[in-house]
Amino acid sequence: MSGFRGARYISAEASTRGEWKPGGSKLPGADAYATSKQCNLATVLAFARETPRLRFNAIEPGFAPGTNLGRDAGLFLRLLSKHVLSPLAPLIKYWTNPGTAARVITRILTAESDTTGVYYDEKGRPMRGSAQVHDPAFNARVVAETRALLGTTHG
C-alpha cells in the first residue's frame, strides 16, 4: 500500500552498505526501511524464543503523517501533513499520528500480560508478519549476523 514490495535482506553486512536483493521498490529508501523493519521483527521473535522469561514484542505504529520522516518534503506538504493529515490519520486504515501511536505503545508496554513474541498493529491488535520473519532459521541468521557484525566494531 505504501509502495513497499517487501524487505530485501541479503545479510547484516550488506545492509550496512545499503545493498538489498533486486526487485524492490522504486521509492528511494523504501527497501532500506522495509528491510530494517523486517530485521527488527525477526530479532524480536528470536529474542522471545531465546529468553521466554522476558517480554519481547513488536509494534507497527502505522503510517503517521506529520512526523519528522517527511522533513525533506516541501513546506506545503509538511504543513499539510502536520496540520491536516495528522489529525485525520487515526480515522484512516493503517494510519495514525504520534499521540495515538504513543497511547497504543504505552498500553501494550504496561499491559499486565506475559505474552511475548507478538507483533501488534497500529490499533494494538496482534497481527501476522511475513512468513519469512516467522521462520526461526531466518530469525537466527539475522541475529547471528548482527551479533557478529557488532563484534567487529571498535569504539
Side-chain angles (χ1 to χ4, degrees):
M1 186 159 212
S2 299
F4 302 125
R5 295 195 177 117
R8 319 308 287 169
Y9 185 80
I10 296 172
S11 70
E13 190 174 323
S15 293
T16 65
R17 293 189 303 268
E19 296 172 5
W20 324 110
K21 287 183 182 175
S25 175
K26 292 180 169 79
L27 299 173
D31 290 341
Y33 181 82
T35 302
S36 73
K37 297 304 149 200
Q38 176 192 42
C39 292
N40 287 344
L41 184 53
T43 301
V44 164
L45 298 177
F47 285 1
R49 276 192 301 281
E50 280 182 13
T51 316
R53 64 185 171 75
L54 298 177
R55 283 180 26 184
F56 291 94
N57 295 310
I59 303 167
E60 166 57 57
F63 175 70
T67 63
N68 207 20
L69 287 174
R71 65 186 166 272
D72 295 332
L75 179 62
F76 174 75
L77 195 52
R78 288 194 320 267
L79 291 173
L80 178 70
S81 290
K82 183 174 185 176
H83 299 291
V84 177
L85 297 178
S86 186
L88 295 174
L91 305 173
I92 302 169
K93 190 175 186 175
Y94 306 118
W95 285 34
T96 190
N97 62 31
T100 302
R103 285 188 292 280
V104 169
I105 292 166
T106 300
R107 181 170 40 90
I108 291 167
L109 287 173
T110 60
E112 296 281 334
S113 171
D114 59 355
T115 58
T116 188
V118 179
Y119 183 28
Y120 294 96
D121 71 9
E122 74 283 353
K123 304 286 188 208
R125 300 172 301 216
M127 65 182 277
R128 180 126 178 110
S130 68
Q132 188 173 32
V133 298
H134 286 281
D135 176 4
F138 177 74
N139 297 353
R141 181 177 151 223
V142 168
V143 170
E145 288 177 359
T146 303
R147 285 176 172 153
L149 182 64
L150 291 172
T152 66
T153 62
H154 306 283

